């Protein structure tokens, strides 16, 4: 009996000690957790919101950086495809117009391609033939202009001697000879660039042809890659972006025509020879941002200098600068911004950013990419696609799709 009481007393003591240790452990845990709760509660709500936005923005920025890196690495393929998309945005409405007037689809596509090649080739032929025809006279006038410039250096206020001019010319020749290795490597680089250009040109022509033949099927295939619940949004956003791209191409041609007319008319009024080829080259060069305007404008000023002297050359320079300033600060922001539904400031910033990131191609594609992205984002965020039905899987009508493997139950 006594042993049983002792045993029960010992159990009660152990239970009391155990409960005491548990309460102490709980108090210690609460004591340790209170600083943590106090530290989390001490962070202001605005700081927590800023932190949440920060890591999300860092994630989006990282994805964009990877995309830009891949685009730069694959530029020899992506740039021709983008050029084909721009050309197709101009030719698809023309081909559809012919088909609405009962032209067969193959004949309409062929007519669009042939008309484009004939137009561009005709402009190049007209400009180059005029320049070649007047090249002999231009060379002779260049010699005369150099002699006049040399005479001005000898008799002008600079008091340059004939020996100094000869020494300068000799130094230029010796520098060219000493840098022959650089010239050879530069020639090899130019030949490689020409090869890349020809390959890109062929790729752009083939891509344009395929888009004209079965652009709707290609787009339906792209939409079919996305989940079924997202297809309505992707399809509507793509159609809105395509309409914006068509507006951009038409406006770009209009702006280039205004540049050509302005500079060509200025050369004609100033009596500068080769006014027609200058206008043609300005029109073609307007599609190449920065370099096209600089090269064609410099050519116009050079021709004016060779044939008419310093006064007319300065006047021609003023005409070129005036037209380019009007085009860059009035036509591009206002007309282009209205057509592509982007604020004029956005157009300027897009061109500057594209030039900084990717040079000439970046400046060429900055505005259409920004316009299409803006329209697609606005369409998706507007939510009008929620009531639309996703596009049904398209039937494979074009023979081009017979070469694409099809999986059972997979719809484009």
């Amino acid at each position: 009996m006594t042993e049983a009481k002792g045993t029960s007393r010992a159990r009660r003591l152990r239970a009391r000690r155990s409960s005491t240790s548990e309460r102490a452990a709980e108090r210690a845990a609460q004591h340790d957790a209170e600083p943590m709760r106090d530290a989390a509660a001490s962070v202001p709500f605005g700081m927590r919101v800023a932190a949440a936005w920060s890591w999300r923005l860092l994630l989006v920025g990282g994805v964009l950086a990877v995309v830009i890196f891949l685009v730069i690495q694959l530029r020899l393929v992506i740039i021709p495809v983008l050029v084909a998309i721009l050309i197709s945005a101009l030719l698809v409405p023309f081909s559809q117009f012919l088909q609405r007037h009962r032209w067969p689809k193959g004949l309409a596509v062929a007519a669009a391609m042939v008309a484009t090649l004939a137009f561009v080739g005709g402009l190049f032929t007209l400009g180059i033939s005029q320049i070649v025809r007047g090249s002999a006279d231009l060379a002779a006038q260049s010699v005369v202009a150099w002699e006049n410039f040399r005479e001005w250096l000898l008799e002008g206020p600079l008091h340059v001697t004939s020996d100094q001019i000869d020494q300068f010319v000799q130094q230029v020749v010796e520098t060219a000879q000493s840098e022959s290795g650089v010239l050879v490597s530069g020639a090899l680089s130019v030949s490689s660039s020409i090869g890349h250009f020809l390959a890109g040109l062929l790729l752009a022509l083939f891509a344009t042809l395929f888009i004209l033949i079965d652009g709707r099927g290609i787009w339906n295939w792209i939409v079919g890659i996305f989940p079924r619940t997202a297809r309505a949004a992707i399809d509507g956003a793509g159609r809105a972006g395509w309409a914006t791209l068509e507006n951009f191409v038409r406006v770009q041609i209009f702006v280039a025509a205004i540049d050509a007319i302005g500079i060509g008319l200025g050369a004609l009024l100033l009596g500068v020879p080769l006014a027609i080829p200058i206008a043609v080259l300005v029109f073609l060069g307007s599609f190449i941002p920065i370099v096209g305007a600089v090269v064609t404008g410099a050519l116009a000023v050079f021709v004016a200098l060779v044939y008419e002297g310093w006064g007319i050359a300065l006047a021609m320079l003023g005409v070129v600068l005036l037209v380019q300033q009007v085009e860059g600060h009035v036509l591009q922001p206002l007309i282009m911004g209205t057509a592509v539904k982007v604020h004029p400031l956005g157009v300027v910033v897009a061109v500057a950013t594209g030039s900084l990131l990717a040079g000439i191609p970046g400046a060429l594609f900055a505005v259409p990419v920004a316009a299409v992205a803006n329209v697609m984002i606005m369409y998706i965020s507007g939510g009008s696609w929620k009531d639309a039905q996703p596009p049904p899987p398209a039937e494979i009508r074009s023979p081009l799709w017979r070469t694409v493997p099809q999986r059972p139950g997979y719809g484009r």
Side-chain angles (χ1 to χ4, degrees):
M1 190 70 176
T2 306
E3 292 178 358
K5 290 182 180 179
T7 302
S8 62
R9 187 181 297 110
R11 290 177 180 175
R12 287 195 298 270
L13 289 174
R14 285 197 297 269
R16 190 180 299 114
R17 291 173 182 173
S18 177
S19 61
T20 303
S21 61
E22 290 178 356
R23 287 195 297 269
E26 290 178 358
R27 287 194 298 270
Q30 292 176 358
H31 179 73
D32 293 337
E34 284 178 359
M36 296 178 62
R37 288 198 298 269
D38 293 341
S42 64
V43 179
F45 178 74
M47 182 63 69
R48 282 179 283 180
V49 172
W53 272 100
S54 297
W55 74 261
R56 289 175 172 85
L57 289 176
L58 287 175
L59 180 61
V60 173
V63 172
L64 291 177
V66 172
V67 171
I68 293 175
F69 174 77
L70 293 177
V71 169
I72 294 175
Q73 294 299 316
L74 301 175
R75 59 188 180 276
L76 296 179
V77 176
I78 293 178
I79 291 177
V81 173
L82 293 178
V83 170
I85 293 175
L86 288 179
I87 298 175
S88 301
L90 177 65
L91 297 185
V92 166
F94 179 63
S95 176
Q96 292 177 347
F97 172 80
L98 295 179
Q99 294 178 44
R100 287 194 300 267
H101 288 74
R102 300 181 179 180
W103 282 51
K105 184 175 182 179
L107 185 59
V109 171
M113 291 291 293
V114 171
T116 302
L117 293 176
F119 178 74
V120 176
L123 288 180
F124 272 110
T125 302
L126 177 61
I128 294 175
S129 63
Q130 292 287 334
I131 293 176
V132 171
R133 185 179 303 175
S135 60
D137 190 19
L138 181 62
Q141 291 293 331
S142 300
V143 173
V144 173
W146 166 251
E147 293 297 334
N148 293 334
F149 180 66
R150 181 187 177 91
E151 183 179 355
W152 179 81
L153 290 176
L154 293 174
E155 301 178 358
L158 298 179
H159 301 290
V160 179
T161 63
S162 178
D163 294 336
Q164 291 175 338
I165 297 176
D166 294 338
Q167 290 177 1
F168 175 76
V169 174
Q170 185 177 0
Q171 289 178 357
V172 171
V173 173
E174 291 177 354
T175 302
Q177 292 176 350
S178 62
E179 298 295 335
S180 59
V182 177
L183 295 177
V184 171
S185 62
L188 294 176
S189 176
V190 169
S191 63
S192 176
S193 300
I194 292 176
H196 292 161
F197 173 78
L198 294 177
L201 179 61
L202 291 177
L203 178 58
L205 291 176
F206 277 110
T208 303
L209 181 62
F210 291 149
I211 293 174
L212 290 176
I213 293 175
D214 196 29
R216 188 179 299 275
I218 295 173
W219 173 246
N220 290 336
W221 175 76
I222 295 175
V223 173
I225 296 176
F226 292 88
R228 186 173 297 275
T229 55
R231 291 178 186 176
I234 298 298
D235 182 65
R239 295 178 186 275
W242 181 259
T244 300
L245 189 62
E246 290 179 348
N247 293 333
F248 166 79
V249 174
R250 287 195 289 265
V251 170
Q252 183 62 43
I253 293 177
F254 174 71
V255 171
I258 291 180
D259 286 349
I261 292 174
I263 295 179
L265 186 60
L268 186 63
L269 294 177
L270 292 175
V272 178
L274 304 176
I276 294 178
I278 288 175
V280 171
L281 294 179
V282 168
F283 176 80
L284 296 175
S286 297
F287 293 94
I288 305 176
I290 303 174
V291 174
V294 172
V295 172
T296 54
L299 177 63
V301 174
F302 173 74
V303 173
L305 176 63
V306 168
Y307 280 94
E308 303 296 336
W310 289 98
I312 300 299
L314 291 176
M316 189 70 236
L317 178 62
V319 171
V320 171
L321 293 178
L322 177 62
V323 172
Q324 291 181 355
Q325 291 299 314
V326 171
E327 182 264 338
H329 294 85
V330 178
L331 296 180
Q332 283 282 358
L334 296 181
I335 300 179
M336 186 68 70
T338 303
V340 301
K341 299 179 182 179
V342 177
H343 193 275
L345 179 60
V347 174
V348 176
V349 172
V351 173
T353 304
S355 303
L356 181 63
L357 291 177
I360 297 175
L364 175 62
F365 297 111
V367 176
V369 168
V372 171
N374 175 67
V375 171
M376 294 178 70
I377 292 173
M378 294 297 293
Y379 179 86
I380 294 176
S381 62
S384 60
W385 53 271
K386 295 179 181 179
D387 299 329
Q389 295 294 330
E395 298 181 1
I396 301 177
R397 298 180 179 179
S398 174
L400 298 176
W401 286 100
R402 296 175 184 172
T403 61
V404 180
Q406 297 295 316
R407 299 197 304 269
Y410 177 76
R412 290 184 295 109

